[in-house]
Amino acid sequence: MMRNSLAQTDLAFVLHPQTDPALLEAEGPLILDRGNGVFVTDSSGRSYLEGMSSLWCAALGFNEPRLARAAAEQIDRLGTYHTFNRRSNPAVIELAERLLALSPMPDGKAIFANSGSEAVDTMIKLAWLYHAGQGAPARRKIISRRRAYHGSTVLGATLSGIASMRGAFAWPDPGVLFAEAPHFYTGSKPGESEEEFADRLVGDIAAMIETEGAESIAAMIAEPVMGAGGVIIPPASYFPKLADLLRGHGILLLSDEVICGFGRTGEWFGCQTFGFRPNMMSVAKALSSGYQPIGATLLSAEVHAVVRAEASRLGVLGHGFTYAGHPVTSAVALETLKIYEEMDLLARVRELAPLFRAHVGALAAHPLVGDARAVGLIGALELVADRATRRPFAASDGVGAKLIALALDQGLILRNLGDTIAICPPLVIAPAELDLLFTRLRQALDALSDTLAAIPQEKTA
């Protein structure tokens, strides 16, 4: 393909994460140059409706002027500083106050980071510190779930239950235990109800705790909706039952809210949508609408009391990042939260959610779609070779990737997670823009049907 000099320079010098290098070299990078609301424009001038909010994060779209002003004003006032050794700044102080007020732990504490991955690492380290402070330093094991994604640090990769994320990157740690993902479509038994499915999965975790010994387990980490694992929405009773189980064994429940946080599911946080109160939460992404790299870990008052006492006993909380609580990222995140509240974000999401759900549901009848699911303004289509038997396509066929390419041809950016197509538009999307998103997605699905019709049937078995 023809490439401009910018694309050639990219290929010469940039190593792209989460990218097949050979495919990148064959097709070149898609270079995004400008944004306007829910649309982005590439370096050739072509516009796309961004149906994934960049990477699940651009809740306010791609050119919110108030965030640009907040960054500029803060740089002019105090362009950088840290929060080590009793230092602080007005922006991070106000951000922490406002963030905790929105959370289910308003009497807790916030400690900041630069990403969701770092916020997850912080949760695990504080869980270990908490149990040490309780006189139980042997509580080190962490329960995660298959298909989970918890970041790209070594610890995040070790906690993740996705093969491509783990690969050569995960630490060979027998202290990370994996429960089943609560994916009813692929994981339920014939005739099993969602309630029965939830009971079985929580029962399996109870058996795991019994086998491993509760006295060896520090915490369980879970995304309310499993994002990168395929937008897996749990049965309604799953988390309340799980929370009761863990609480009874003194095991902390850590909610990874990096994708679900800040209105995506129709509540401020996914744990509120699914009816459980965690001991800690990690947040990032929409905290600044993706405009600045920032994350945070929120601790309940109960956890903080133990952490505080143990850190004081040791003489220091031996954890932190140079740019955590940075005044510029904090100022942008603070302005983001102010915009959310002023626009009544939750009311907006709840108003749009039925339309979004109807659009997703309408595609459930498409011949290529086995399952269509949505909550709030996040959803997914699971592509299958045979709807009646739920038989998947062969992984080597790359059907999900083919659909994403066809959607791009239609002027729509989405993301495939294997053969699951994730849909996560900016929360400022208008009803007419939602209509356009799903019109383009249906056109891409129909084009994919035509493409697959030309392939001998045995090739998609």
Side-chain angles (χ1 to χ4, degrees):
M1 63 180 291
M2 295 295 293
R3 299 195 179 112
N4 60 33
S5 59
L6 193 59
Q8 293 285 15
T9 303
D10 179 283
L11 291 169
F13 297 108
V14 179
L15 179 62
H16 287 255
Q18 301 292 341
T19 300
D20 178 345
L23 182 64
L24 175 68
E25 291 164 8
E27 298 189 359
L30 177 63
I31 302 171
L32 286 312
D33 183 59
R34 298 186 305 281
N36 182 27
V38 301
F39 294 89
V40 291
T41 303
D42 69 19
S43 55
S44 71
R46 187 175 181 197
S47 176
Y48 306 87
L49 198 163
E50 228 297 357
M52 273 302 297
S53 300
S54 182
L55 275 178
W56 321 88
C57 52
L60 297 176
F62 296 90
N63 65 332
E64 172 51 59
R66 284 178 58 177
L67 300 186
R69 288 195 297 271
E73 290 169 4
Q74 182 59 53
I75 289 172
D76 187 57
R77 178 176 176 174
L78 177 67
T80 186
Y81 217 76
H82 63 86
T83 52
F84 286 32
N85 306 323
R86 299 188 300 110
R87 295 347 182 226
S88 195
N89 62 79
V92 76
I93 294 168
E94 189 177 349
L95 173 61
E97 180 183 33
R98 190 172 289 254
L99 178 57
L100 285 162
L102 293 178
S103 81
M105 45 190 74
D107 55 349
K109 293 277 187 174
I111 181 170
F112 290 90
N114 309 296
S115 67
S117 297
E118 291 180 0
V120 165
D121 277 25
T122 300
M123 281 203 300
I124 302 301
K125 292 171 76 174
L126 293 181
W128 289 333
L129 187 65
Y130 168 85
H131 286 296
Q134 294 278 71
R139 281 188 178 256
R140 299 283 294 184
K141 294 176 184 176
I142 306 295
I143 302 173
S144 184
R145 297 181 295 178
R146 294 184 175 89
R147 301 181 67 167
Y149 176 68
H150 295 297
S152 290
T153 60
V154 170
L155 180 53
T158 304
L159 293 168
S160 294
I162 301 173
S164 62
M165 308 297 182
R166 293 177 61 77
F169 306 122
W171 193 262
D173 187 353
V176 177
L177 313 171
F178 287 94
E180 289 298 328
H183 188 16
F184 183 75
Y185 178 72
T186 60
S188 61
K189 296 179 178 179
E192 191 173 41
S193 69
E194 288 202 12
E195 181 86 10
E196 291 166 338
F197 175 64
D199 285 343
R200 177 163 61 83
L201 264 59
V202 174
D204 289 346
I205 295 170
M208 176 187 290
I209 293 169
E210 179 70 21
T211 299
E212 297 291 333
E215 69 281 357
S216 71
I217 302 174
M220 179 169 180
I221 185 169
E223 306 155 88
V225 175
M226 300 179 77
V231 189
I232 296 171
I233 301 170
S237 64
Y238 173 81
F239 272 112
K241 292 176 178 179
L242 177 60
D244 286 345
L245 170 67
L246 299 176
R247 189 180 304 111
H249 287 289
I251 298 169
L252 299 180
L253 177 51
L254 315 181
S255 187
D256 184 343
E257 297 273 355
V258 171
I259 288 174
C260 294
F262 308 103
R264 177 58 62 182
T265 62
E267 298 285 352
W268 281 115
F269 298 97
C271 61
Q272 295 165 320
T273 297
F274 295 100
F276 69 99
R277 190 177 189 275
N279 301 105
M280 286 189 273
M281 297 165 44
S282 57
V283 298
K285 292 192 184 294
L287 174 57
S288 69
S289 190
Y291 281 52
Q292 289 285 294
I294 185 170
T297 298
L298 308 186
L299 299 72
S300 69
E302 296 80 7
V303 170
H304 171 255
V306 176
V307 166
R308 176 192 177 281
E310 182 65 3
S312 291
R313 186 187 71 79
L314 296 170
V316 67
L317 177 59
H319 169 77
F321 305 99
T322 300
Y323 305 114
H326 191 284
V328 179
T329 61
S330 298
V332 172
L334 176 60
E335 189 68 10
T336 300
L337 297 187
K338 290 178 180 178
I339 293 172
Y340 290 160
E341 293 185 87
E342 290 169 17
M343 68 186 283
D344 198 353
L345 179 67
L346 297 190
R348 180 183 182 86
V349 173
R350 291 167 185 168
E351 181 180 355
L352 286 173
L355 176 62
F356 182 78
R357 189 165 54 249
H359 275 303
V360 172
L363 292 177
H366 194 280
L368 294 178
V369 177
D371 188 45
R373 48 189 180 265
V375 59
L377 289 183
I378 184 170
L381 305 177
E382 195 149 343
L383 307 181
V384 293
D386 189 309
R387 286 164 51 86
T389 63
R390 303 185 180 183
R391 176 169 57 87
F393 288 100
S396 59
D397 288 337
V399 171
K402 287 183 172 71
L403 181 61
I404 294 307
L406 291 166
L408 204 63
D409 290 342
Q410 298 292 336
L412 173 63
I413 293 177
L414 293 173
R415 186 181 180 193
N416 72 295
L417 309 164
D419 287 341
T420 297
I421 308 304
I423 312 162
C424 184
L427 301 183
V428 294
I429 195 166
E433 293 166 336
L434 267 181
D435 294 343
L436 179 61
L437 186 162
F438 284 96
T439 295
R440 292 180 177 181
L441 177 51
R442 181 176 287 278
Q443 290 168 342
L445 280 166
D446 290 344
L448 180 60
S449 290
D450 293 342
T451 299
L452 295 179
I455 301 174
Q457 187 64 34
E458 63 270 15
K459 293 293 181 94
T460 60

